[in-house]
Amino acid sequence: MADGDEDLPRDAKIVKSLLKSMGVEDYEPRVIHQFLELWYRYVVDVLTDAQVYSEHAGKNTIDCDDVKLAVQSKVNSSFSQPPAREVLLELAKNRNKIPLPKSIAGRGIPLPPEQDTLISPNYQLSIEKKESAQAAEEMEEDEQSTEPNASEEQRTDMLQQTPQKVSFPLARRTK
């Protein structure tokens, strides 16, 4: 095995060899720990159920039949059989009667119509009014002549205007 395998626990080495035997060569190291956690949790659940079945039968120890019963009950409750092929074919036939939504024809990747997407104008642009330098000077002169006692701070506040908020709805393309 690899260089880092010497300090791995025996169970981790088993999981690693199982992955390798299945052809999985590239995976993150935490995958082994996730499989171990799943494995341990499953074993603990099965053995806990087997102990309950053993106690219910009046036995002091867990035997093979208790474990088989616990595994079978776990399989029955955890895994379900897929529907029959005929049922799936009938569902597919009913579903395929409904045509797909028409796509927007254009360059690039075809996209569904806007009403079928989650895109909506959910933003606002804040646009500050910019005045020409000459208009700003004229306004400043007017303010100085009307309010000779106004402080510089008040004049600056008057020059700053509140920003305008603009939102744009998305336009539909037509051909």
Side-chain angles (χ1 to χ4, degrees):
M1 292 192 181
D3 296 334
D5 289 352
E6 294 86 33
D7 40 331
L8 282 177
R10 180 182 60 91
D11 294 340
K13 289 178 185 177
I14 292 171
V15 170
K16 198 169 188 174
S17 67
L18 283 172
L19 288 171
K20 189 173 184 179
S21 71
M22 294 173 62
V24 179
E25 298 292 330
D26 188 28
Y27 53 87
E28 292 185 28
R30 66 182 180 170
V31 169
I32 294 173
H33 300 291
Q34 290 170 341
F35 272 124
L36 285 174
E37 182 181 341
L38 177 68
W39 186 9
Y40 290 152
R41 189 179 314 147
Y42 182 79
V43 169
V44 166
D45 287 347
V46 166
L47 290 177
T48 303
D49 291 348
Q51 183 178 15
V52 169
Y53 297 144
S54 175
E55 289 173 0
H56 180 73
K59 298 184 277 186
N60 292 334
T61 60
I62 299 172
D63 61 6
C64 187
D65 292 333
D66 297 327
V67 174
K68 285 180 184 178
L69 183 60
V71 167
Q72 188 59 43
S73 70
K74 195 66 136 167
V75 167
N76 289 340
S77 66
S78 298
F79 305 105
S80 62
Q81 295 294 322
R85 180 177 172 84
E86 294 79 26
V87 173
L88 289 176
L89 287 173
E90 184 64 30
L91 287 172
K93 183 178 175 184
N94 290 337
R95 182 64 180 173
N96 290 334
K97 286 180 183 176
I98 303 168
L100 293 174
K102 297 189 186 235
S103 63
I104 301 170
R107 296 181 305 186
I109 300 172
L111 298 173
E114 269 186 50
Q115 67 267 16
D116 296 335
T117 64
L118 298 176
I119 300 173
S120 64
N122 58 357
Y123 58 88
Q124 289 186 339
L125 297 178
S126 178
I127 302 172
E128 295 183 20
K129 284 189 173 181
K130 302 239 179 194
E131 298 180 16
S132 65
Q134 184 181 7
E137 289 175 9
E138 289 175 3
M139 184 181 272
E140 193 174 303
E141 289 174 4
D142 290 342
E143 290 173 0
Q144 286 178 355
S145 62
T146 57
E147 298 179 24
N149 295 335
S151 69
E152 186 65 32
E153 185 177 303
Q154 289 174 339
R155 284 190 215 130
T156 310
D157 289 342
M158 290 179 152
L159 286 176
Q160 293 178 349
Q161 296 182 3
T162 59
Q164 226 179 355
K165 292 196 176 192
V166 180
S167 66
F168 296 95
L170 297 175
R172 293 179 184 237
R173 290 186 190 180
T174 56
K175 273 195 153 181

